[in-house]
Each structure stands twice: as C-alpha cells, then as structure tokens.
Amino acid sequence: MASLRPERTGRRDSRNELINAAIEIIQDQGIDALRIEDVCESVGVSKGSLYWHFSDREGLVREALLEQLYRLGDEQLTAFATAVDTATTRDEYLIQIAGAFVDPFDATQVEARWRRLEMIATARRDPKLSGIMEEIQKRHHRYLTDLMEKAASRGFLREGLDPSSIAARIVTGK
C-alpha cells in the first residue's frame, strides 16, 4: 500500500524518536503540556540533540503534528485497501471498513478521535502546516478515489455512486 509519507531510512533516528515522544505526550496530555525536557528524557537524549533536529519547541510540535497527520491518513487508507482487496461480499467489505471509523460506544476510541481532531485543528492554524495538510488531503482523496473505484468494480458500492464524492466525504468527515 502506498503511504502518504515520504520514504524514511532504516537506521536508528533520534529525530523520529523525538517526534514519536512528542506525539505521545500531545495525545495523552495535549499540546500545551509538551515540554522539551520531558521529550528529551523520554528518548534519552540531551537538549542539544533535540535542538540539532528542531530549531525550537514549535518546530518539534509542527513536525509531530505533521507526522501524526501522515499516520492517520495511512491507517485509514490501509483499512480501506485491505477491505477492498480481501472482502468477498459487500457485507464483509462494510464490516471491514467500519474499523476505519470511530465506534461511538467505545470511550477510548471517542477520546482518541477528539485528540486527533485537536491535533488537526492546531495544524490548520499553522501557516507552514496548512499547505502541507492540504497536499496530504489531496493525496488521500486521490488514493481513496482509486480505492472506491475498485470497490465499485467489485460490486461493494451501490450503482451510480460517484467514487470521488465518497472519497471526499471520507477525507472531510462530512
């Protein structure tokens, strides 16, 4: 499955570890709770190492939000691609893609969704991230359109539905 994210190297990368630690703190406690000291301690690096990769706290937050946007898109695309490729009936397809959405009765999923939305809202307010977000959403839409066309060709969608419109609704959540 294609990823929305550019390729990464396989070697140990303290930059990615710092981003992962920042994402975890943001998801658990919110953006305002992110402290450079906590991130460095979590990864086991000095502040100098963090500042080697990021100019300041905002740079780290920006990169963490961007990485989370890539991950969210990749998770959803993987769920849809797997469903399209493995389902044998429309019902099986619908059951499989249900996992790409939030179960409104699962408090953990609902809370995780709110954290994701908070991250997306914060990213949209950042001029440097908003353009990148727009490009990610365009790629996400193109890939989902292809998947919806494939789902339609396999008989998983009602006849007459526009795959691009379905993809747009998934991307925007409307």
Side-chain angles (χ1 to χ4, degrees):
M1 202 231 34
S3 172
L4 297 174
R5 173 189 309 108
E7 290 290 320
R8 301 234 192 248
T9 63
R11 63 182 174 81
R12 182 178 191 260
D13 185 352
S14 60
R15 182 178 192 279
N16 285 335
E17 291 176 30
L18 291 163
I19 290 170
N20 289 335
I23 289 170
E24 190 172 314
I25 291 169
I26 291 168
Q27 285 181 329
D28 292 345
Q29 303 168 32
I31 291 170
D32 293 336
L34 183 101
R35 293 175 3 133
I36 294 296
E37 294 81 10
D38 296 338
V39 174
C40 291
E41 183 179 318
S42 173
V43 176
V45 300
S46 67
K47 283 185 184 180
S49 179
L50 184 137
Y51 288 119
W52 172 260
H53 296 293
F54 309 100
S55 59
D56 56 16
R57 179 186 177 276
E58 294 310 308
L60 172 62
V61 168
R62 186 177 293 115
E63 289 298 316
L65 292 173
L66 179 59
E67 178 61 24
Q68 187 62 3
L69 292 172
Y70 281 125
R71 288 178 186 178
L72 294 172
D74 287 351
E75 285 174 19
Q76 191 175 53
L77 293 177
T78 298
F80 278 97
T82 300
V84 169
D85 291 339
T86 63
T88 56
T89 66
R90 179 181 293 165
D91 288 344
E92 188 178 337
Y93 168 76
L94 293 172
I95 289 168
Q96 286 186 37
I97 66 166
F101 300 101
V102 173
D103 177 351
F105 302 107
D106 182 333
T108 304
Q109 285 186 22
V110 171
E111 179 61 27
R113 179 66 165 222
W114 280 114
R115 293 278 185 204
R116 289 179 187 132
L117 289 172
E118 177 186 13
M119 292 180 83
I120 290 168
T122 300
R124 285 194 89 74
R125 290 189 299 267
D126 183 318
K128 292 180 182 177
L129 279 179
S130 61
I132 296 169
M133 279 184 62
E134 185 176 333
E135 183 54 37
I136 290 171
Q137 287 182 316
K138 285 179 184 176
R139 281 189 247 158
H140 195 166
H141 180 261
R142 285 191 298 268
Y143 192 80
L144 275 171
T145 298
D146 292 345
L147 287 174
M148 292 303 104
E149 287 172 355
K150 188 173 182 181
S153 73
R154 297 203 55 212
F156 297 153
L157 302 179
R158 249 188 359 249
E159 204 170 308
L161 291 178
D162 176 26
S164 180
S165 295
I166 295 169
R169 289 178 149 258
I170 293 168
V171 169
T172 62
K174 296 179 183 176

